Amino acid sequence: MLWRGMRLLTRPASTSPPAPRRRRGLWVALAVLASSVALGLAFDWNWLRPLIQHHVMARSGRSVQFDDLEVRWRDGLDPTFEFRGLVIQNAPWAASKAPLIRARRFAATVSWRTLGSDVKVVRRIELQDAQVDMERQADGLRNWRITRPDDRGPPRVRVLELDARDSTLHLVHGGIPLVLDARSTTLPVPRALPARPELPLTRHLDFAGRYRDRAFEGQADVSDVLTFGATPRVFALRAQARLGALALQAAGTSNDVHAPGDVDVDIGASFATASAGDGWPLPASLARLRPLSAQGHLVHAGARWTGSGVRVRAGRGTSVVADASFTGGFKSDTPRRALQATLRDAVIDLDDVSLVRGMTLPGGPGLAGARADGSHAWSTRPLPFERLRSLDADIELRPARITGADRGLLQSVGGHAVLKDGVLALGSLDLGLAEGHVTGSARVDASRTPAAVALDVAARGLRIDRISPALAANGALAGAIDGRADVRLRGDSTHALVAGANGTITVSLADGASVSKRLDARLGLNGGEWLRTLLDKAARVPVQCASATLALAQGVATPRRFVFETPGTALAVRGSVDLAGESLDATLMPAHKKLALLALDKSIHAEGSWHALKVALAPAIDDPPQRCDDAAAQQGRR
């Protein structure tokens, strides 16, 4: 024996046991596992009833009753605890006196890997003929925390799947606040969505309740197993619901019942009420657009929402078809919000735009929030430039038709907008304005304060009678306007932007323009010609040329070049226009191209606010008028 012990002590160390010993260890482990499984299958778990009842009573003071308890293993080592005839008493503070749960059958499959962690994962809960009463107070106290009744902390159990058959749920959430009643029944005949025949609809859900003291109701046909995110499994649904005046329909798949998980559905929404009453749940501005409807296909995966073929109809005549995607969240800035959209087949009713802005429609009642002070064109109210810093966007608006009461000025709009890091670039801008077009580009840099705006636009063929109803009524000036603006502005309100405007504006009358003979006589201070117009008030004279180039400096425009000429009159101009102050101080000096016996050797002086302009005769000035030939020559040299 001593010799054998010395041999064992002096034997070289081995990094692993001999192969026969390893095989024996493996067989022992398998035998222990098999014995444990066999013991679990043969064990009568009802023997644990007194222990379970005592444990729950000691922790929460509530009673637990069940007729039978069985433990099974599903998909490996995950245990399934199945109770029959289960009744768990409700919390003493709960508003309902019904049990927390009364179920003919209740089964929960728990992931064994999470049994020792802070958050336990329940892979599936199965309910049959069950009534569940759940209540959570505003401070986080929950009636379903049985062994930790006073715990108000974060969730400690995560449920992945629910199979509820012929069961009801009453839920009160004081933190939102929400009251929900739901009932699950089995459909007599399973149904299927055409696009997902492998997910038959086997359950019918009816639900109703109140959210923030507002009633809602709905119903849905769903697959047999509902999921709660964090699982690749999805369920099919065909649902409809009503929240206030908003009706919703959806058909497709989802992987989360209570949160916006992965969604792939066809949607429909409509909003209509008989009167201009409460518009919940829509914002007040959108609620004014009655009726309102939308249909299309919606997909949500990760942090990205995608809508395709979404057709929206709103108000009296507004409609659009959109393909859009949105990345980001509404409550978090990570990842950064980004919107990409293509808008087509659009019709924009300006009456609907007025409603959204809170303005009064022609012949309609006033709306609260409509601006009462119309004496100033520019507002000192800060513009919401900070909104440009909150997301990125790429939006293409294909030419949209404009309708409505104010359609006489604007007929169409199109363009491409790119917003990146607070800088908005408008390209391919095309406005159908006054039967003509305004094209060009604009750039708004809101990444700094004050914001900087750059405009480079050109106008062609804008009809004067569409721009000015007064001129259209008396026919004093007829024709079309061409123009160009290259302007840089800086400020945080419309008034500040105009006050900081610098650049050049050019305006000219297109070929074919004319003025009434009476206006021509007045501009020329020609009394003899004016008397002749009393006999022929419809007489007109052509405008041979008319153009003006204004230099903008800090919101004040001064004429750099001015020409206006008819067969009998040419005009010279001196003065300035204060755009920010909304005032004018200008003098027109006529020159007569023909003999005018009754003409006055005076000038016409206009000054004061745009809204109360004073016009009077003034002494003549020595500025000679520029003629059409001179203007053409200067334009050629440029």
Side-chain angles (χ1 to χ4, degrees):
M1 290 292 295
L2 178 62
W3 174 251
R4 182 178 299 175
M6 294 180 61
R7 289 184 59 188
L8 291 174
L9 291 175
T10 57
R11 179 181 298 171
S14 176
T15 57
S16 60
R21 183 176 300 176
R22 289 200 303 270
R23 286 196 295 269
R24 286 196 300 271
L26 178 60
W27 281 110
V28 169
L30 291 176
V32 171
L33 179 60
S35 300
S36 300
V37 172
L39 178 62
L41 294 175
F43 184 73
D44 186 357
W45 295 93
N46 291 294
W47 292 349
L48 298 180
R49 181 187 290 112
L51 181 61
I52 296 173
Q53 292 173 334
H54 175 75
H55 178 75
V56 173
M57 179 63 71
R59 291 294 188 95
S60 63
R62 292 196 244 173
S63 65
V64 177
Q65 303 292 333
F66 54 88
D67 297 334
D68 184 63
L69 170 61
E70 183 179 350
V71 178
R72 294 178 287 106
W73 276 263
R74 173 180 290 173
D75 300 333
L77 298 179
D78 291 343
T80 297
F81 301 91
E82 181 176 331
F83 295 85
R84 295 185 180 275
L86 175 66
V87 179
I88 301 178
Q89 185 181 3
N90 213 332
W93 52 262
S96 173
K97 301 307 177 184
L100 168 65
I101 182 171
R102 183 191 300 274
R104 184 161 69 89
R105 178 177 175 271
F106 172 90
T109 300
V110 182
S111 173
W112 69 271
R113 296 179 178 85
T114 65
L115 290 177
S117 62
D118 293 335
V119 178
K120 312 295 189 296
V121 174
V122 178
R123 291 178 49 194
R124 177 180 292 193
I125 289 179
E126 299 175 17
L127 296 172
Q128 188 170 359
D129 293 333
Q131 297 87 44
V132 181
D133 187 280
M134 302 177 70
E135 183 173 347
R136 171 175 172 161
Q137 294 186 349
D139 62 357
L141 188 64
R142 304 158 172 86
N143 71 333
W144 59 86
R145 287 189 166 172
I146 301 174
T147 58
R148 296 184 178 184
D150 297 326
D151 187 357
R152 292 167 171 82
R156 297 183 178 277
V157 176
R158 179 179 299 167
V159 179
L160 302 185
E161 298 178 357
L162 172 65
D163 182 358
R165 308 178 186 181
D166 301 320
S167 300
T168 62
L169 168 67
H170 177 71
L171 171 66
V172 177
H173 194 312
I176 300 180
L178 169 71
V179 178
L180 170 68
D181 286 289
R183 176 180 294 274
S184 168
T185 56
T186 302
L187 288 173
V189 179
R191 307 168 185 172
L193 299 176
R196 300 302 298 262
E198 76 281 7
L199 290 174
L201 306 176
T202 59
R203 306 276 195 272
H204 179 77
L205 300 179
D206 289 296
F207 55 89
R210 299 187 68 83
Y211 173 71
R212 298 187 183 275
D213 290 331
R214 306 282 189 159
F216 65 88
E217 61 180 358
Q219 54 185 329
D221 293 338
V222 297
S223 303
D224 51 0
V225 177
L226 303 179
T227 58
F228 296 87
T231 173
R233 181 168 182 169
V234 299
F235 61 91
L237 75 153
R238 180 186 287 116
Q240 56 185 10
R242 179 171 291 276
L243 296 82
L246 181 63
L248 301 171
Q249 303 87 36
T253 61
S254 175
N255 75 337
D256 206 329
V257 175
H258 73 301
D262 292 345
V263 175
D264 188 338
V265 294
D266 293 319
I267 62 166
S270 60
F271 177 85
T273 57
S275 63
D278 189 2
W280 183 84
L282 297 182
S285 57
L286 288 180
R288 300 188 191 111
L289 295 178
R290 306 163 188 259
L292 175 65
S293 65
Q295 297 83 32
H297 189 74
L298 183 66
V299 175
H300 179 232
R304 184 182 180 90
W305 291 89
T306 303
S308 56
V310 179
R311 179 176 294 275
V312 179
R313 294 182 175 88
R316 297 186 176 188
T318 299
S319 64
V320 65
V321 178
D323 297 316
S325 65
F326 177 79
T327 302
F330 298 101
K331 297 182 179 180
S332 172
D333 293 332
T334 305
R336 180 168 173 80
R337 302 180 186 94
L339 173 65
Q340 185 173 6
T342 299
L343 310 178
R344 62 183 189 277
D345 300 334
V347 178
I348 302 174
D349 191 312
L350 295 182
D351 294 339
D352 296 330
V353 176
S354 297
L355 281 173
V356 172
R357 295 175 58 193
M359 299 175 65
T360 305
L361 290 179
L367 293 173
R371 182 174 179 177
D373 180 14
S375 61
H376 294 88
W378 319 121
S379 171
T380 57
R381 179 179 299 176
L383 293 169
F385 285 125
E386 68 279 358
R387 298 179 184 176
L388 300 181
R389 307 182 193 114
S390 62
L391 81 163
D392 297 333
D394 188 327
I395 302 175
E396 179 185 2
L397 174 60
R398 296 177 183 174
R401 184 164 55 91
I402 305 297
T403 62
D406 295 330
R407 180 191 173 278
L409 183 61
L410 185 63
Q411 291 85 45
S412 64
V413 59
H416 187 193
V418 177
L419 176 61
K420 182 69 174 178
D421 296 330
V423 179
L424 174 64
L426 297 174
S428 306
L429 184 64
D430 189 343
L431 299 177
L433 187 66
E435 305 299 337
H437 283 272
V438 175
T439 59
S441 62
R443 187 174 186 270
V444 180
D445 186 353
S447 64
R448 50 184 175 172
T449 302
V453 179
L455 298 175
D456 186 2
V457 296
R460 186 170 184 83
L462 308 186
R463 287 178 53 181
I464 295 172
D465 58 341
R466 297 293 190 183
I467 297 175
S468 172
L471 292 176
N474 59 36
L477 177 62
I481 294 177
D482 298 335
R484 186 172 189 87
D486 186 359
V487 180
R488 303 294 181 267
L489 312 95
R490 182 178 291 276
D492 288 328
S493 67
T494 54
H495 182 273
L497 287 171
V498 173
N502 296 280
T504 303
I505 298 176
T506 301
V507 181
S508 62
L509 288 177
D511 293 342
S514 65
V515 296
S516 66
K517 198 167 186 179
R518 174 169 288 193
L519 177 59
D520 185 50
R522 287 180 175 178
L523 290 175
L525 299 178
N526 191 335
E529 287 296 328
W530 184 83
L531 290 174
R532 292 186 183 93
T533 63
L534 296 178
L535 302 175
D536 186 5
K537 296 182 180 180
R540 306 191 66 79
V541 296
V543 177
Q544 294 174 323
C545 63
S547 66
T549 298
L550 303 177
L552 272 176
Q554 299 303 312
V556 178
T558 55
R560 179 183 297 169
R561 181 168 56 88
F562 179 88
V563 57
F564 182 90
E565 188 173 355
T566 66
T569 307
L571 296 177
V573 69
R574 174 194 296 178
S576 63
V577 180
D578 187 348
L579 299 179
E582 302 178 27
S583 62
L584 171 70
D585 185 358
T587 300
L588 290 175
M589 184 63 202
H592 304 103
K593 300 169 65 176
K594 299 179 181 178
L595 181 62
L597 296 179
L598 299 180
L600 298 176
D601 187 20
K602 296 284 186 178
S603 64
I604 303 172
H605 183 69
E607 67 174 343
S609 170
W610 299 349
H611 314 285
L613 194 63
K614 298 178 181 179
V615 181
L617 294 178
I621 60 176
D622 296 333
D623 297 357
Q626 190 173 11
R627 299 301 178 88
C628 293
D629 294 340
D630 297 336
Q634 287 188 14
Q635 186 68 24
R637 288 195 295 270
R638 290 175 65 89

